[in-house]
Amino acid sequence: MFLLAVGHSCVDVYQGTVAALVPFFVAERAYSYAAASGIVLAASLLSSIVQPLFGALTDRWAMPWLLPVSTAVAGAGIALSAWGGSYVTTLAMVAVSGVGVAAYHPESARVARLASAGSHTAMGWFSLGGNLGFATAPLLVAGVVGAGGLRAAPLLVVPAALGSVLCVLALRAVRTPDRAGSRVARAVGRDDRASFVKLCLAVVCRSLVFVGLAAFVALYARQRVGGGQLAGSAALFTLYAGGAAGTVVGGRLAARWDRVRVVCWSYAAAVPAVAGVVFVPGPGFYLFVALTSAALYVPFSLQVTLGQDYLPSRIGTASGVTLGLTVSVGGVASPLIGAAADATSLRTALAPLIVFPVLAWLLTRRLPEPAQPEPIPRFSDSLAPQES
């Protein structure tokens, strides 16, 4: 699980770098808010379509090779996105990176669920790895691109190279019982599609808030706090780093109370936190960014396991949809926020985001807690010699 979590961080760093690169595109290439948010859209649009498809494939066939390959693709796309001066080339390369990220998550979630024997706490640590990758992205971009400009962007491929190696090592250590290309055994259980749809709608609301803030919080911080690139990078780092704490807290709270209750409480707490980000000026802005991040990330891994338990016969599909929606839908809406910011102001464009945690709370407060599934056999059990 440690190797899988670190490998997860090496992939999700590329989701974070997209938003972290936006201020540099605005500064060096004079992109408008709408044009800059189009880059976020490019990373999300194909991902929103492709990720559930990869989820459906991993429900039928084991494809562990996707972990190192998709990690390499995600890094290569980002490394090449800022190299050329063409806007179309930038969009295309960012889209390629998004496909790599999309291909990684369903299969990695399936492998992690097997490796953790269905433990919510272990899945929380797996999700934490991804959140730490998010949190590292602004620091990585600030150190590489901030020092050398967009021409230094090819150096951003280094985490992908490391992550690919770690994925190979993790797969060897885990020794998944499903050989590449073999059929995956279906879990026994009854699908609750209605609850899964409600959960997905809540994830959509979360995505609209988080990705909308991630795309513009670095630029907004300069208006609320003052300062240059450092103030923006600090705000983005706070947004991502708070998620790491929220994920750990979410796993511990779910061990004491049921997951649905924890998810519901988290969205209720997110309402005043997001309002503080939009309206509170000065240093207090960073406090509300951290609170927003924690409130939005407490449900993160819990929603993945809830989706898997609502669709026990299609774990890959459930993982692909819930993990994919966390980024894709918000990315699709980002150009609308950017266009509104160009026409009015960033504060006016971000203010409607306060409504979405309210909607997520309404959607989750009536969800049932799924019955605990049978413990998933660990790999060592699956590989024990069988008597003939």
Side-chain angles (χ1 to χ4, degrees):
M1 286 303 296
F2 175 77
L3 290 171
L4 288 171
V6 177
H8 192 189
S9 70
C10 291
V11 173
D12 277 6
V13 72
Y14 295 108
Q15 294 194 60
T17 53
V18 176
L21 284 169
V22 165
F24 294 96
F25 284 122
V26 172
E28 293 192 27
R29 298 181 181 174
Y31 289 167
S32 65
Y33 288 140
S37 61
I39 297 172
V40 180
L41 171 64
S44 306
L45 187 59
L46 279 179
S47 181
S48 63
I49 300 171
V50 171
Q51 190 149 301
L53 295 179
F54 277 107
L57 289 173
T58 58
D59 278 332
R60 299 190 65 184
W61 297 285
M63 295 186 289
W65 55 267
L66 269 180
L67 273 64
V69 171
S70 59
T71 301
V73 171
I78 290 296
L80 296 174
S81 66
W83 206 7
S86 168
Y87 183 70
V88 174
T89 301
T90 299
L91 293 180
M93 291 298 99
V94 169
V96 168
S97 178
V99 171
V101 172
Y104 172 85
H105 281 99
E107 179 67 2
S108 67
R110 185 187 72 85
V111 172
R113 182 179 174 90
L114 289 170
S116 66
S119 167
H120 303 314
T121 302
M123 285 297 291
W125 286 107
F126 173 72
S127 298
L128 173 63
N131 297 339
L132 291 176
F134 265 112
T136 305
L139 303 179
L140 179 66
V141 172
V144 174
V145 182
L150 291 174
R151 291 183 178 180
L155 293 175
L156 296 175
V157 77
V158 172
L162 174 63
S164 296
V165 173
L166 291 175
C167 286
V168 172
L169 294 175
L171 292 173
R172 288 181 177 178
V174 167
R175 296 188 302 160
T176 172
D178 300 314
R179 292 184 177 180
S182 63
R183 286 191 171 272
V184 175
R186 290 292 183 92
V188 177
R190 184 177 181 180
D191 292 342
D192 185 351
R193 297 183 179 180
S195 296
F196 182 73
V197 170
K198 291 180 182 178
L199 177 68
C200 288
L201 291 175
V203 173
V204 166
C205 293
R206 178 203 177 275
S207 177
L208 290 169
V209 177
F210 185 82
V211 180
L213 287 177
F216 297 104
V217 72
L219 296 169
Y220 193 51
R222 302 181 196 180
Q223 300 177 11
R224 308 305 291 172
V225 181
Q229 295 282 3
L230 181 60
S233 296
L236 196 56
F237 173 76
T238 303
L239 182 67
Y240 292 163
T247 302
V248 175
V249 171
R252 293 187 177 276
L253 292 177
R256 184 171 182 179
W257 293 286
D258 62 72
R259 287 169 291 173
V260 171
R261 188 182 304 180
V262 173
V263 169
C264 188
W265 288 348
S266 301
Y267 284 128
V271 177
V274 175
V277 171
V278 175
F279 294 111
V280 172
F285 169 82
Y286 289 108
L287 172 62
F288 283 100
V289 171
L291 292 174
T292 296
S293 178
L296 293 177
Y297 264 105
V298 164
F300 186 79
S301 64
L302 305 182
Q303 288 173 155
V304 175
T305 59
L306 278 171
Q308 292 172 338
D309 289 344
Y310 285 141
L311 291 184
S313 68
R314 294 177 176 85
I315 289 177
T317 300
S319 302
V321 171
T322 52
L323 287 169
L325 288 177
T326 58
V327 175
S328 59
V329 176
V332 171
S334 291
L336 299 177
I337 300 174
D342 285 331
T344 55
S345 67
L346 263 179
R347 186 173 72 173
T348 302
L350 294 175
L353 297 181
I354 302 170
V355 175
F356 293 106
V358 178
L359 297 177
W361 173 76
L362 292 173
L363 287 164
T364 55
R365 62 192 297 262
R366 297 292 186 183
L367 283 177
E369 180 71 20
Q372 279 301 110
E374 291 293 324
I376 298 173
R378 294 188 182 274
F379 288 102
S380 57
D381 298 331
S382 302
L383 294 170
Q386 301 296 319
E387 294 184 1
S388 58

